[in-house]
Amino acid sequence: SSKDRDFKYIPKTFQVTEGAAYLHITSNNTIKGTQWQSFPDAGDVPLVSDMSSDILSRAFDPRPFGLIYAGAQKNLGPAGVTLVIIRDDMLARVPNDIPTMFRYTTHAEKNSLYNTPPCFAIYMVQLVLKWLEDTVGGLAAIEKANKEKAALLYGVIDQSGFYQGTADVDSRSLMNVTFRLPNEDLEKKFVAEAQKQGLGGLKGHRSVGGCRASLYNAVGMDAVQALVDFMREFEKKNG
Ligand SMILES: Cc1ncc(COP(=O)(O)O)c(C=O)c1O
């Protein structure tokens, strides 16, 4: 892991233990603002990923993965739905001595209808997927838009001596842009003044502090433009 530097970067050189049950990665670290740009080669070890905060934000090849899981609440739809993509050979490994509900085989065999599904939330996911396909133009189009949004915001951070990005440049997330201001009092003021202008949710995760702008699929370029305009203005007044 990148624990040695407070998870500010995506590890590049590491050994996958031969015969390991799996290699788990979180494709996008929502809190620290880092993202795997390409996925590690785990050889015969099944690659498992929590993709909750960047699923469907870009095109990717799912074939190397044994298991992908993602809470819907960022790019897919309302909280309460979890998407799971599991390879057949992984299903064959599910032990029988864990509770029925925890076995992916249970859900695969019952076509995800073993328990009462949250129909309305799933319907919302369908609408989001339709929007992504028909209105946005698919994964290549949303990836392009997400890259443009992130480039605009990181550009402003990098040009300023006032805002400081917290993740290493080569590990930066397109979804969660984490940054600091010169001190915590200014961060508090920044979050409060932004809120007054309708720019909410800019406080960093409680475990790390600082500021965080989340640029999920539903966030338009107009919103990012409004944020960077505000940031430039705030820097002028307080820098
Ligand atoms: C990557 C990632 N994993 C897991 C979670 C936690 O999801 P939940 O609150 O549904 O347990 C989050 C936050 O929503 C997340 O961003």
Side-chain angles (χ1 to χ4, degrees):
S1 82
S2 52
K3 196 173 178 186
D4 60 332
R5 279 205 297 114
D6 195 25
F7 307 102
K8 286 177 194 298
Y9 67 97
I10 295 294
K12 282 163 207 72
T13 49
F14 54 88
Q15 209 83 44
V16 181
T17 311
E18 217 177 296
Y22 58 85
L23 173 68
H24 184 281
I25 62 167
T26 300
S27 55
N28 183 78
N29 186 328
T30 325
I31 296 173
K32 303 287 182 179
T34 60
Q35 186 175 28
W36 291 80
Q37 312 300 340
S38 59
F39 298 118
D41 179 3
D44 291 335
V45 174
L47 188 55
V48 174
S49 185
D50 175 353
M51 292 198 180
S52 298
S53 56
D54 69 349
I55 186 105
L56 299 194
S57 67
R58 55 179 171 173
F60 78 102
D61 179 5
R63 282 173 296 188
F65 292 90
L67 171 69
I68 293 168
Y69 61 98
Q73 63 268 26
K74 271 72 181 215
N75 281 337
L76 297 178
V81 181
T82 305
L83 170 132
V84 174
I85 303 170
I86 185 165
R87 224 166 44 202
D88 287 340
D89 63 296
M90 295 290 280
L91 278 176
R93 291 174 26 166
V94 173
N96 275 327
D97 58 353
I98 54 174
T100 316
M101 200 63 182
F102 292 169
R103 284 182 232 147
Y104 285 130
T105 42
T106 302
H107 303 286
E109 281 159 15
K110 299 287 181 197
N111 196 26
S112 300
L113 293 168
Y114 180 74
N115 61 314
T116 310
C119 301
F120 185 73
I122 293 171
Y123 173 66
M124 293 297 290
V125 171
Q126 188 199 7
L127 294 183
V128 172
L129 295 178
K130 278 198 162 132
W131 166 80
L132 188 52
E133 201 165 11
D134 301 341
T135 309
V136 178
L139 289 182
I142 199 80
E143 178 171 348
K144 184 169 173 279
N146 284 331
K147 281 183 175 156
E148 285 168 7
K149 285 165 8 190
L152 176 62
L153 182 47
Y154 282 123
V156 168
I157 290 170
D158 289 343
Q159 280 158 18
S160 105
F162 184 71
Y163 302 104
Q164 186 94 45
T166 57
D168 282 7
V169 172
D170 67 357
S171 301
R172 281 170 163 176
S173 166
L174 300 185
M175 293 283 100
N176 307 101
V177 177
T178 49
F179 56 97
R180 308 257 9 180
L181 274 68
N183 61 59
E184 287 185 17
D185 285 342
L186 276 173
E187 286 171 350
K188 268 193 202 136
K189 191 174 171 195
F190 175 84
V191 171
E193 287 193 11
Q195 180 73 56
K196 273 191 217 147
Q197 300 207 19
L199 297 160
L202 286 165
K203 194 163 175 231
H205 191 269
R206 62 190 175 279
S207 63
V208 292
C211 300
R212 173 176 60 171
S214 290
L215 309 181
Y216 296 123
N217 285 356
V219 174
M221 194 57 156
D222 51 341
V224 184
Q225 189 61 55
L227 174 62
V228 299
D229 290 347
F230 169 77
M231 286 171 74
R232 287 197 182 110
E233 203 53 40
F234 189 87
E235 179 178 358
K236 240 187 254 164
K237 284 191 207 140
N238 298 278

